[in-house]
Amino acid sequence: MLNPKVPLIWLTAVGICCLATQADARDLSVRVNRWLEFRALTGSVQYINSGRTQTARVGARLNAVGDGVRTGRRSTARLAVDTEVGFVTVAENSYVRIARLRATRNGGRVTDLDIIRGQARLQVRPFTNRESELNIRTPAGVSGVRGTEFGVAVKPDGETGVATLEGRVVSSAQGVSVDVPAGFQTLIEPGEPPQPPEPLRDDPTLDIRVLRPSTLDGSGTLEIAGSTDKVNLLIINEEVQSTDENGSFELRVLLPGNRQIQATVITPLGTEQVYELVVP
């Protein structure tokens, strides 16, 4: 006699297969020409295309996973996302690359960008297709948008500041998602969930508490300590410096012969302030 449970098990398996097939169909990518195109450049900008590093020029395109852009000191790049669904402005000393660039069967366009270091500001118009996405990935987490203007700043240790000017951003890390609406900012530390949003400051103020030649080793170095907003980038001696979860820092750099040193602060939205520090 046949076991009456056998047909039931078989039908259940068929149902699962059908559901899986439907899910695969929804996620299936189709061949559509997608790219990021350079629209404006200043200073020294290089881009990686198909594994080759070249000097960037207006009109050049990034169109594959792994393609990216690197900016040098006092250099910026502005790129359009193919159908001008959005624009990405990359600040100095930054590295941004394509993580995913595809189209769905239903006409949605999915764009994932990695910000390895530095700062970028994005202007993204509202999507008309529900399957369209634009996600910014950093070593600390992911921020996704569907129509907004926001900025991201990534420090050398991966700590990430996110600030929303218009629209809404959802920042996610460690299984936790946080809404960052217009007029708010957040900080994401590697290995931690996003901090609760705070009112947007967009403040590049630098507070210097210590600026003196080191007396510890007689090596001609300079001690610098101070603070800035915790979401900001701090550049000293052309290098992005790490700050703690409160935006404070203590570091030692070579003391220039003219006893002057330049510091630059950049907010996640790209507001920049340059400071000329004179060592007493």
Side-chain angles (χ1 to χ4, degrees):
M1 178 180 295
L2 292 175
N3 188 333
K5 295 182 180 180
V6 171
L8 178 61
I9 296 172
W10 181 79
L11 287 173
T12 302
V14 170
I16 293 173
C17 289
C18 291
L19 290 173
T21 301
Q22 292 171 3
D24 291 344
R26 286 194 302 269
D27 293 339
L28 186 64
S29 298
V30 296
R31 286 188 172 275
V32 174
N33 194 15
R34 307 246 9 244
W35 66 84
L36 269 69
E37 182 178 282
F38 288 99
R39 293 295 178 84
L41 300 164
T42 60
S44 174
V45 180
Q46 294 185 318
Y47 73 106
I48 300 93
N49 181 271
S50 301
R52 297 175 54 198
T53 300
Q54 307 172 58
T55 299
R57 55 181 176 78
V58 173
R61 291 179 174 179
L62 313 176
N63 51 25
V65 171
D67 287 0
V69 53
R70 291 193 183 105
T71 55
R73 180 174 179 267
R74 299 290 175 214
S75 303
T76 62
R78 181 174 170 84
L79 300 96
V81 182
D82 48 34
T83 56
E84 297 193 354
V85 67
F87 293 88
V88 183
T89 302
V90 184
E92 63 177 303
N93 296 310
S94 301
Y95 177 24
V96 179
R97 70 184 178 197
I98 296 173
R100 184 167 59 159
L101 204 61
R102 69 180 182 88
T104 68
R105 286 189 59 154
N106 295 323
R109 292 172 180 254
V110 179
T111 305
D112 289 356
L113 301 179
D114 287 337
I115 300 183
I116 309 302
R117 64 173 181 270
Q119 185 271 338
R121 180 166 174 163
L122 294 95
Q123 296 169 288
V124 185
R125 64 173 171 77
F127 296 144
T128 56
N129 189 304
R130 295 181 60 186
E131 294 183 358
S132 293
E133 300 176 14
L134 193 151
N135 301 302
I136 299 300
R137 311 190 319 184
T138 77
V142 178
S143 295
V145 301
R146 292 186 63 84
T148 187
E149 183 169 356
F150 77 113
V152 176
V154 182
K155 303 176 187 179
D157 59 1
E159 196 173 71
T160 300
V162 180
T164 307
L165 186 64
E166 297 179 2
R168 170 175 165 263
V169 173
V170 178
S171 293
S172 304
Q174 304 301 310
V176 177
S177 295
V178 172
D179 281 343
V180 189
F184 282 82
Q185 64 185 37
T186 188
L187 182 73
I188 313 173
E189 299 180 68
E192 300 290 338
Q195 295 183 4
E198 300 176 347
L200 175 64
R201 292 179 286 273
D202 195 34
D203 181 7
T205 298
L206 176 63
D207 177 26
I208 297 295
R209 295 191 299 272
V210 176
L211 182 64
R212 65 190 176 204
S214 175
T215 59
L216 297 178
D217 52 17
S219 60
T221 58
L222 174 68
E223 295 178 17
I224 306 177
S227 63
T228 186
D229 193 310
K230 60 185 178 181
V231 298
N232 291 345
L233 291 183
L234 172 65
I235 303 173
I236 295 179
N237 274 359
E238 302 182 21
E239 292 186 11
V240 181
Q241 308 292 330
S242 293
T243 60
D244 66 16
E245 67 276 9
N246 298 312
S248 297
F249 62 92
E250 294 182 4
L251 55 95
R252 187 179 300 174
V253 299
L254 289 176
L255 177 61
N258 62 2
R259 301 178 75 85
Q260 296 182 7
I261 193 166
Q262 189 177 87
T264 303
V265 176
I266 304 176
T267 73
L269 289 176
T271 300
E272 180 177 320
Q273 180 67 52
V274 178
Y275 297 84
E276 299 291 344
L277 308 178
V278 179
V279 182

